[in-house]
Amino acid sequence: MLPEEVQRRPPHVRPLPPTPADTGAPARGVRQAFAAVGDGLRFIRGHRLIVGLLLINAAAMVFTMPQALYPVLADEQFGGGPGVVGLLYAAPALGALVGAATSGWTARAGGHALIGAVLLWGVSLTGFGLTALLPLALAGLGDLVSETLRSALLQHGTPDGLRGRVSSLWMVQATVSPALGNAAVGFLAELTSASAAVVTGGVVCVVAALAVAAAFPALRRATLAAPGD
């Protein structure tokens, strides 16, 4: 039991002395921030695994994000109204829920599983574009598994000192790619049709994922399993 006066004393954390980076002028802080981003970019450029992860993520997202077309697909392809639109938005979430509930195996997986998950995403969206709803749930499963493995392999392959910078650049790419994907399928749907845009995007995703897998052996060899597992 602590003495009464110690118990009454408010918690106190001794302030840390400023580092040289903290004592500089604001302009120096801006230069250091840009230099930190440059360090992250140089690391990514020289690391084949990280480049492969970025490219396979782009293959999965840039051409195959059909959410912008759900209202049109619900009306033209499935002959329904708002209720069908709700089902389209919910189907990938159902697949992702199943994937999350059974994702323990991913702790020992690696590049081959990631490539397979991206291929599942692309093939499933191709099937969805051909007037089937169930493949949309499988696409959600593939997306959850691929996102889990992409993030884990990124963290696993980045040194501690660069992890924050590389993760920041990864988040920029992960935010921009789906937006570009929705824009791309919307533009393609204007030229063809909503279903044709989804099918085309799925096929492009499969071809691009296979090309990335062939070009980056480091991605295929990557693993999260500990030695001896």
Side-chain angles (χ1 to χ4, degrees):
M1 190 73 178
L2 294 174
E4 184 177 351
E5 63 274 12
V6 175
Q7 295 183 49
R8 291 198 304 266
R9 185 181 305 165
H12 177 69
V13 177
R14 182 177 61 82
L16 295 174
T19 64
D22 298 327
T23 58
R28 182 188 301 173
V30 172
R31 288 196 299 269
Q32 290 173 338
F34 280 107
V37 173
D39 290 340
L41 288 172
R42 281 189 293 273
F43 170 77
I44 291 173
R45 185 178 59 188
H47 201 292
R48 298 288 290 174
L49 171 60
I50 306 301
V51 174
L53 289 171
L54 289 168
L55 289 178
I56 202 164
N57 183 66
M61 299 289 109
V62 172
F63 304 104
T64 50
M65 293 302 293
Q67 288 92 335
L69 301 180
Y70 283 168
V72 177
L73 290 167
D75 181 50
E76 295 182 356
Q77 187 163 312
F78 297 98
V84 175
V85 175
L87 287 176
L88 295 181
Y89 279 107
L94 176 61
L97 179 62
V98 173
T102 59
S103 62
W105 62 273
T106 59
R108 300 177 300 279
H112 286 97
L114 169 58
I115 294 164
V118 174
L119 292 176
L120 175 62
W121 163 259
V123 170
S124 298
L125 287 180
T126 302
F128 166 62
L130 296 172
T131 72
L133 182 59
L134 178 61
L136 193 56
L138 294 177
L141 171 64
D143 186 36
L144 184 282
V145 172
S146 67
E147 184 175 347
T148 300
L149 290 174
R150 288 195 305 264
S151 298
L153 288 170
L154 180 80
Q155 299 294 322
H156 190 71
T158 305
D160 292 344
L162 289 169
R163 191 165 290 134
R165 281 164 279 187
V166 173
S167 295
S168 297
L169 294 169
W170 173 268
M171 288 302 298
V172 171
Q173 186 262 170
T175 302
V176 171
S177 294
L180 291 176
N182 275 305
V185 297
F187 178 74
L188 186 57
E190 285 286 338
L191 299 178
T192 56
S193 67
S195 60
V198 175
V199 171
T200 302
V203 172
V204 171
C205 171
V206 170
V207 173
L210 290 174
V212 172
F216 290 86
L219 180 63
R220 300 195 305 270
R221 294 194 301 264
T223 181
L224 297 172
D229 283 357

